[in-house]
């Protein structure tokens, strides 16, 4: 997946797990950084650790074990985690028996460094080795350092039931695949998360059913590149098991949408080179598939896209946007953009702005290029755009996007939208917040509705990114189906 960044808002959130047996009484503090996939992985880790007997705490002082699920996508993500590790090191001086471990994307790259040189951690575990966590913790308890950063071609944690962390009981993530085979030249993910593999669709649909039965009303299907989801078929089109159906992403999404019309389906992230019209047609066919597509462009210049090894041109990308507008005229579109990639000229930067003007994105996540070790770009191109130029270009695209977002938000005023209530508005306790199908945050007076209910909201005003309105119809959450 294009490691999606909304989650940087949730950086360092503390996560809660129920108690169980073997390490009974031991306390775990689990912090997650980075993308939705990492937060979803933390729910797998929580499940494994809960089975092993750990319960969670938010207080580092009372923790027996601290696990940081880390992100390596840009240098600043790593800097933040190092800061946190140094803080835990200071606690460990007073509490030497406390175990500190690094999980996730920094594990593979920094294992020796973190353990040997900097003596910051006791335990390093990569994204495909979480089942081994209880053994590795035993190893640390017996006085050794423990490392498992092996990447797998098969691991999907398919049958592990995630422990829903910090859950509102309404929205949940479902991982549908792991790893990435794309090798975009700037991206470290193929090195930290390994080869792409898809999860058994039966286990995905079963998880969606379970969530619905527990009262959840929205699932987000997660993968580094959901459009290349495939089951029982190789990338060359060969059937793996005769007699068993093959499943692609459009088909998988339809299977999940059919769990219940009252279960909303979202997904992330799409890839412009792989997103088919079939996916768009399935989205159009089901009201409960939200009309929102995150389609990272990265750059508006075909030359830069080629150097980025993205597998499409500006024209191809704009054709995919035209397909979305044709098949899903109400859909919102968001993107990721990297500014200041190796050799990016002023004209190429302007091409990005002109593409933004053409697409009129609803939302964009924008970053300065950050060179990552081992990537193709690091080996092949010079990171030659000066820092001040990167900063100036970033400011320009952010300012431009703010105008587009504000304009797009205004277009919803006067309309009525179905919204799933997610909870009380942070700013005003008498209001609820939720999102419409296009993922625009909508706030409205509570009335007698409850979180998990659907409401139709007539939008009367807006701020730059939030809609404000009144409830005109209310659909209470149905009693739990059996
Ligand atoms: N530098 C800056 N941004 C990056 N991204 C991925 N790798 C890098 C990098 N080396 C951005 C891309 C991706 C998003 C999640 O993070 O835009 O889509
Ligand atoms: Fe996304 Fe490309 Fe990185 Fe894969 S290699 S995770 S498609 S940015």
């Amino acid at each position: 997946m294009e490691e999606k960044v909304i989650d940087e808002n949730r950086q360092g959130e503390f996560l809660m797990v129920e108690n169980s047996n073997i390490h009974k009484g031991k306390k775990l503090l689990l912090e997650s950084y980075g993308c939705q996939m990492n937060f979803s992985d933390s729910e797998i880790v929580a499940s494994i650790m809960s089975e092993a007997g750990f319960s969670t705490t938010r207080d580092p002082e009372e923790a027996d074990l601290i696990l940081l699920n880390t992100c390596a996508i840009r240098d600043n993500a790593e800097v933040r985690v190092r800061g946190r590790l140094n803080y835990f090191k200071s606690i460990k001086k007073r509490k030497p028996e406390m175990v500190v471990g690094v999980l996730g994307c920094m594990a593979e790259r920094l294992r020796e460094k973190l353990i040997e040189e900097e003596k910051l951690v006791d335990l390093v575990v990569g994204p495909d080795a979480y089942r081994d966590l209880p053994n590795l913790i035993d190893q640390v308890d017996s006085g050794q350092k423990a490392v498992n950063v092996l990447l797998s071609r098969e691991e999907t944690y398919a049958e592990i039931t995630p422990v829903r962390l910090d859950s509102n009981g309404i929205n949940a993530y479902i991982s549908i695949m792991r790893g990435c085979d794309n090798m975009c030249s700037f991206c470290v993910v193929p090195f930290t998360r390994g080869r792409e593999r898809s999860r058994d669709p039966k286990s995905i649909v079963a998880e969606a059913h379970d969530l619905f039965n527990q009262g959840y009303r929205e699932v987000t299907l997660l993968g580094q590149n959901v459009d290349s989801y495939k089951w029982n078929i190789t990338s060359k089109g060969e059937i793996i098991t005769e007699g068993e159906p093959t499943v692609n992403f459009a088909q998988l999404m339809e299977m999940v949408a059919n769990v219940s019309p009252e279960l909303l389906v979202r997904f992330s992230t799409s890839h412009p080179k792989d997103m088919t019209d079939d996916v768009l047609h399935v989205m159009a066919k089901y009201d409960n598939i939200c009309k929102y597509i995150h389609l990272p462009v990265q750059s508006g210049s075909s030359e830069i896209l080629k150097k980025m090894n993205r597998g499409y041109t500006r024209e191809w990308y704009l054709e995919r946007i035209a397909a979305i507008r044709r098949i899903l005229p109400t859909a919102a579109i968001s993107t990721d953009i990297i500014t200041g990639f190796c050799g990016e000229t002023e004209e190429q930067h302007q091409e990005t702005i002109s593409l933004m003007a053409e697409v009129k994105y609803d939302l964009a996540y924008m970053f300065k290029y950050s060179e990552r070790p081992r990537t193709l770009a690091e080996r092949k191109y010079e990171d030659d755009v000066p820092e001040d130029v990167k900063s100036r270009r970033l400011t320009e695209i952010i300012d431009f996007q703010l105008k587009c977002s504000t304009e797009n938000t205004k277009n919803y005023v006067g309309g009525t939208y179905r919204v799933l209530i997610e909870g009380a508005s942070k700013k005003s306790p008498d209001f609820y917040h939720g999102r419409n199908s296009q993922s625009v945050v909508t706030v409205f007076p509570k009335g007698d509705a409850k979180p998990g209910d659907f409401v139709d909201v007539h939008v009367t005003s807006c701020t730059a990114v939030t809609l404000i309105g009144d409830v005109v119809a209310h659909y209470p959450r149905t009693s739990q189906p059996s």
Side-chain angles (χ1 to χ4, degrees):
M1 166 169 79
E2 328 265 336
E3 302 281 317
K4 210 173 154 207
V5 184
I6 351 183
D7 305 285
E8 282 182 0
N9 299 333
R10 294 177 62 186
Q11 291 287 15
E13 237 168 57
F14 297 93
L15 308 167
M16 302 303 287
V17 184
E18 290 299 312
N19 200 354
S20 165
N21 40 44
I22 311 166
H23 287 266
K24 202 163 182 161
K26 283 201 178 169
K27 298 264 186 208
L28 160 69
L29 188 156
L30 176 53
E31 281 186 19
S32 298
Y33 294 81
C35 67
Q36 289 164 314
M37 190 60 98
N38 253 13
F39 281 80
S40 172
D41 277 5
S42 287
E43 301 190 328
I44 304 273
V45 170
S47 175
I48 293 166
M49 298 306 288
S50 170
E51 282 287 306
F54 282 85
S55 63
T56 53
T57 176
R58 290 162 188 267
D59 179 5
E61 297 291 342
E62 78 166 21
D64 300 291
L65 169 64
I66 295 183
L67 295 176
L68 264 75
N69 197 353
T70 62
C71 169
I73 195 103
R74 282 170 293 275
D75 187 53
N76 54 11
E78 287 194 7
V79 169
R80 210 169 299 140
V81 167
R82 278 171 185 282
R84 202 66 186 144
L85 287 173
N86 275 309
Y87 168 66
F88 293 138
K89 193 177 174 184
S90 68
I91 297 182
K92 212 170 141 83
K93 283 208 182 102
R94 279 181 280 118
K95 259 179 77 184
E97 70 291 351
M98 183 176 84
V99 175
V100 177
V102 160
L103 314 179
C105 288
M106 278 171 74
E108 147 69 15
R109 201 166 89 64
L110 293 177
R111 56 188 159 164
E112 267 93 32
K113 219 168 168 207
L114 291 171
I115 288 192
E116 306 296 336
E117 291 170 34
E118 300 177 18
K119 301 200 175 358
L120 285 174
V121 303
D122 311 293
L123 178 72
V124 178
V125 188
D128 287 344
Y130 296 146
R131 287 179 202 264
D132 203 18
L133 263 166
N135 297 331
L136 295 166
I137 289 161
D138 289 345
Q139 203 173 311
V140 174
D141 284 347
S142 70
Q144 297 157 272
K145 301 277 179 186
V147 177
N148 186 346
V149 291
L150 289 178
L151 292 170
S152 156
R153 279 176 173 256
E154 285 92 35
E155 181 63 273
T156 59
Y157 301 110
E159 81 306 341
I160 293 186
T161 305
V163 168
R164 304 291 162 185
L165 295 165
D166 264 6
S167 171
N168 58 4
I170 296 165
N171 331 84
Y173 295 134
I174 302 183
S175 285
I176 63 164
M177 59 206 294
R178 300 180 70 79
C180 184
D181 282 351
N182 283 318
M183 300 303 265
C184 299
S185 65
F186 52 79
C187 187
V188 78
V189 168
F191 303 97
T192 61
R193 290 189 159 269
R195 300 301 300 268
E196 178 189 292
R197 65 227 99 118
S198 297
R199 178 179 163 191
D200 186 336
K202 291 189 276 304
S203 74
I204 296 170
V205 173
E207 191 172 329
H209 262 292
D210 280 353
L211 286 164
F212 183 73
N213 289 341
Q214 290 166 38
Y216 285 79
R217 288 297 175 262
E218 183 186 284
V219 292
T220 302
L221 307 179
L222 290 182
Q224 254 80 26
N225 171 2
V226 290
D227 298 300
S228 74
Y229 176 89
K230 51 184 132 359
W231 183 251
N232 197 30
I233 188 161
T234 66
S235 33
K236 293 189 188 113
E238 294 144 357
I239 308 278
I240 297 166
T241 309
E242 286 299 338
E244 188 171 333
T246 62
V247 181
N248 63 22
F249 181 59
Q251 292 160 330
L252 176 74
M253 192 155 55
E254 185 151 21
M255 289 158 78
V256 177
N258 277 321
V259 166
S260 165
E262 286 178 54
L263 183 69
L264 298 183
V265 182
R266 298 185 186 270
F267 57 92
S268 190
T269 295
S270 306
H271 197 301
K273 79 176 165 58
D274 296 321
M275 192 190 66
T276 61
D277 285 1
D278 284 353
V279 167
L280 303 178
H281 286 300
V282 170
M283 288 178 76
K285 183 170 159 194
Y286 289 87
D287 283 344
N288 59 326
I289 303 182
C290 294
K291 307 297 181 272
Y292 172 79
I293 301 181
H294 183 61
L295 195 67
V297 65
Q298 312 298 359
S299 166
S301 151
S302 293
E303 272 166 71
I304 292 288
L305 289 169
K306 190 156 197 286
K307 281 170 88 174
M308 286 178 163
N309 199 26
R310 288 288 290 173
Y312 56 86
T313 59
R314 175 188 175 102
E315 291 68 33
W316 171 279
Y317 184 89
L318 287 172
E319 191 285 320
R320 290 291 74 207
I321 295 290
I324 298 173
R325 302 284 187 223
R326 190 170 63 239
I327 300 167
L328 296 166
T330 64
I333 305 175
S334 63
T335 199
D336 292 343
I337 296 173
I338 297 177
T339 194
F341 185 65
C342 312
E344 186 190 64
T345 63
E346 210 51 42
E347 291 70 36
Q348 288 166 335
H349 166 60
Q350 289 304 327
E351 284 187 76
T352 297
I353 296 185
S354 77
L355 180 130
M356 293 169 80
E358 217 167 315
V359 179
K360 297 196 180 68
Y361 290 109
D362 295 274
L363 190 66
Y365 303 95
M366 295 160 280
F367 316 100
K368 286 192 257 188
Y369 172 59
S370 163
E371 186 175 84
R372 305 315 290 138
R374 291 172 66 195
T375 56
L376 199 73
E378 189 237 10
R379 285 179 276 132
K380 209 166 153 189
Y381 307 118
E382 201 186 332
D383 179 13
D384 56 359
V385 177
E387 192 55 31
D388 59 330
V389 175
K390 283 184 185 171
S391 297
R392 195 249 306 145
R393 289 182 188 168
L394 182 65
T395 307
E396 283 174 18
I397 59 173
I398 289 175
D399 288 349
F400 189 86
Q401 182 51 41
L402 187 63
K403 281 189 232 146
C404 289
S405 296
T406 312
E407 279 304 307
N408 287 339
T409 310
K410 277 188 201 149
N411 289 335
Y412 290 100
V413 177
T416 298
Y417 303 93
R418 181 73 46 93
V419 172
L420 171 62
I421 306 179
E422 293 178 19
S425 156
K426 283 197 187 97
K427 284 197 187 137
S428 35
D430 297 338
F431 284 64
Y432 279 132
H433 77 92
R435 281 167 298 146
N436 69 3
S437 180
Q438 288 76 8
S439 209
V440 188
V441 173
T442 307
V443 299
F444 45 89
K446 282 181 171 171
D448 53 7
K450 296 205 166 45
D453 294 350
F454 286 97
V455 283
D456 289 336
V457 177
H458 178 68
V459 175
T460 50
S461 63
C462 67
T463 65
V465 290
T466 305
L467 305 177
I468 303 154
D470 296 305
V471 174
V472 292
H474 174 203
Y475 313 93
R477 180 155 38 172
T478 49
S479 55
Q480 317 295 309
S482 56

